[in-house]
């Protein structure tokens, strides 16, 4: 009977069981060929064959003491490569101020100093070693330590404690992620106490550890009239320095290019993550943009400390630093001191 179009046709099934076996065999042959070619190339170029490489790849155990020493050495090397002066360098020279009797108009500040930052020479003084509260000029040390220990591009998460710091703060939000360089803008231009605390925690792990680091650095730089109890200067009790020590610290700080780049900025427009989107920092140092050559350093004020100003200006190859503490007329005092220095340089 002939096949009808409605009659089902039985198709012969092709065996697929052998396909995976064939594919595996081909892969093995290709791998063997590649390995043989590699060994041939290594022999041709004089590279020894290693049949057992487990011995050479096994890592050697390092003791905890050795690991700590390696980390300490790496940290010291990192700081040394950024340090503007060799360890033990005297930041201010112990010579008599050569402009002490130059007929300077009255300085209103009870403690002040003028130094040549290019040479370290002291030019004029008024109670230079008198220990006084220094308000936000404390942030000079905070900025120096942050630059020496933190990469500017590092992004950190804001600690909730930072948002509750007293008085002047820029408004950091808990857990937001912020680059270190943005915190430095807020620290040195806006003078944010929240920026200071966050940089302290990010640098040393805690506020207490950072205070220890600050005082160790002060001792290392020979700042004998200085003691820190705050990374921002918002607390006056036990937080003090002198005009002499602040001038020495400012000379050290202004020798760091990145520090100068921040303090000489008049206005900074900074992009920010939503919902903030952008911030504008205006330098509180009124000499920036109004006094020729002014490029730093830091202002400060509290009820107890009064108006404090560490001012820096450069003209030609001469850089001068003037410090006035508890000054009724801080900018007038600073201008008179700087003018005296430049007129006799």
């Amino acid at each position: 009977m002939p096949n009808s179009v409605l009659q089902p046709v039985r198709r012969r099934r092709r065996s697929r069981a052998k396909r995976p076996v064939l594919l595996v065999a081909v892969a093995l042959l290709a791998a063997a060929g590649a390995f043989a070619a590699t060994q041939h190339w290594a022999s041709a170029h004089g590279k020894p064959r290693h049949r057992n490489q487990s011995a050479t790849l096994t890592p050697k155990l390092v003791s905890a003491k050795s690991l700590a020493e390696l980390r300490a050495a790496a940290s010291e090397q990192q700081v040394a490569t950024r340090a503007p002066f060799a360890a033990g360098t005297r930041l201010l020279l112990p010579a008599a101020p050569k402009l002490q009797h130059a007929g300077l108009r009255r300085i209103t500040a009870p403690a002040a100093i003028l130094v040549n930052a290019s040479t370290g020479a002291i030019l004029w003084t008024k109670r230079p070693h008198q220990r006084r509260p220094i308000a936000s000029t404390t942030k000079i040390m905070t900025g120096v330590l942050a630059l020496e220990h933190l990469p500017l591009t590092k992004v950190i998460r804001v600690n909730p404690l930072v948002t509750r710091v007293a008085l002047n703060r820029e408004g950091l939000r808990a857990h937001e992620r912020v680059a270190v360089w943005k915190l430095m803008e807020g620290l040195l231009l806006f003078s944010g106490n929240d920026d200071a605390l966050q940089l302290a925690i990010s640098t040393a792990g805690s506020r207490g550890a950072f205070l220890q680091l600050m005082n160790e650095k002060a001792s290392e730089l020979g700042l004998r009239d200085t003691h820190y109890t705050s990374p921002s200067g918002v607390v006056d009790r036990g937080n003090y320095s002198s005009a002499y020590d602040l001038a020495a610290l400012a000379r050290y700080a202004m020798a760091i290019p990145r520090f100068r780049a921040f303090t000489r900025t008049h206005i900074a427009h900074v992009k920010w993550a939503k919902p903030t989107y952008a911030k504008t920092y205006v330098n509180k140092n009124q000499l920036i943009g109004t006094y020729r050559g002014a490029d730093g350093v830091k202002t400060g004020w509290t009820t107890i400390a009064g108006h404090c100003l560490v001012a820096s200006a450069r003209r030609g190859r001469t850089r001068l630093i003037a410090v006035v503490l508890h000054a009724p007329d801080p900018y007038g005092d600073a201008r008179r001191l700087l003018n005296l220095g430049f007129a006799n340089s």
Side-chain angles (χ1 to χ4, degrees), residues 268-285:
H269 301 283
V270 180
K271 292 183 179 180
W272 211 269
K274 61 181 181 181
T276 304
Y277 296 104
K279 291 186 179 183
T280 299
Y281 300 111
V282 180
N283 199 326
K284 290 191 173 183
N285 183 355

Side-chain angles (χ1 to χ4, degrees), residues 9-344:
V9 179
R10 295 182 181 179
R11 296 183 179 180
R12 297 179 59 186
R13 294 183 180 180
R14 297 180 181 179
S15 176
R16 298 183 181 180
K18 295 182 180 181
R19 287 187 178 181
V21 178
L22 291 174
L23 292 175
V24 172
V26 170
L28 289 175
L29 288 174
F35 178 77
T38 302
Q39 293 298 311
H40 177 74
W41 183 91
S43 299
H45 289 78
K47 293 190 176 183
R49 301 179 183 179
H50 295 286
R51 294 184 178 178
N52 185 11
Q53 295 181 344
S54 59
T56 59
L57 295 178
T58 302
K60 295 182 179 180
L61 294 178
V62 180
S63 66
K65 181 179 179 181
S66 298
L67 186 60
E69 290 175 352
L70 288 172
R71 287 175 176 171
S75 178
E76 290 175 3
Q77 179 64 24
Q78 181 185 25
V79 173
T81 56
R82 299 183 185 183
F85 297 94
T89 300
R90 194 155 193 169
L91 294 171
L92 299 183
L93 303 179
K98 68 176 186 177
L99 300 180
Q100 193 67 37
H101 305 288
L104 180 65
R105 288 176 55 192
R106 178 175 176 268
I107 298 298
T108 66
I113 194 172
L114 174 68
V115 304
N116 185 327
S118 303
T119 64
I122 300 174
L123 305 178
W124 189 94
T125 65
K126 180 180 181 181
R127 302 187 187 93
H129 291 285
Q130 186 179 69
R131 296 179 177 180
R132 306 190 64 89
I134 58 172
S136 285
T137 60
T138 299
K139 295 183 175 81
I140 298 174
M141 177 63 85
T142 301
V144 165
L145 290 174
L147 285 176
E148 289 185 341
H149 292 80
L150 296 174
L152 288 175
T153 55
K154 181 178 180 179
V155 177
I156 59 180
R157 188 180 295 274
V158 174
N159 190 303
L161 294 174
V162 168
T163 63
R164 299 193 292 270
V165 71
L167 298 177
N168 192 49
R169 53 181 182 263
E170 68 158 287
L172 295 176
R173 294 179 293 110
H175 306 298
E176 71 172 326
R177 298 174 65 83
V178 185
V180 170
W181 69 268
K182 294 183 180 181
L183 297 175
M184 290 294 295
E185 297 273 17
L187 178 81
L188 296 175
L189 276 67
F190 178 78
S191 195
N193 294 332
D194 46 357
D195 296 297
L197 182 55
Q198 184 56 63
L199 287 170
I201 294 173
S202 299
T203 298
S206 69
R207 181 180 182 275
F210 188 75
L211 292 178
Q212 182 177 353
L213 198 63
M214 293 176 79
N215 288 308
E216 288 176 356
K217 188 69 174 182
S219 177
E220 175 189 327
L221 296 179
L223 311 183
R224 299 180 180 179
D225 304 321
T226 300
H227 183 260
Y228 296 106
T229 58
S230 166
S232 63
V234 67
V235 177
D236 290 307
R237 185 176 181 180
N239 196 81
Y240 58 81
S241 189
S242 66
Y244 180 99
D245 280 7
L246 281 172
L249 176 60
R251 187 186 181 213
Y252 181 91
M254 292 300 285
I256 303 173
R258 293 300 304 179
F259 191 94
R260 292 198 308 272
F262 287 116
T263 62
R264 69 170 175 244
T265 302
H266 186 198
I267 300 175
H269 301 283
V270 180
K271 292 183 179 180
W272 211 269
K274 61 181 181 181
T276 304
Y277 296 104
K279 291 186 179 183
T280 299
Y281 300 111
V282 180
N283 199 326
K284 290 191 173 183
N285 183 355
Q286 297 178 20
L287 294 179
I288 304 296
T290 65
Y291 186 85
R292 184 163 64 91
D295 57 0
V297 179
K298 191 70 189 72
T299 64
W301 181 88
T302 63
T303 302
I304 297 175
H307 288 285
C308 302
L309 176 61
V310 180
S312 168
R314 179 178 178 179
R315 294 180 184 176
R317 295 184 178 181
T318 302
R319 178 186 299 281
L320 301 178
I321 291 174
V323 180
V324 293
L325 301 179
H326 209 292
D329 183 18
Y331 292 103
D333 286 350
R335 288 173 182 272
R336 286 188 284 273
L337 287 169
L338 294 172
N339 285 343
L340 174 68
F342 285 123
N344 292 273

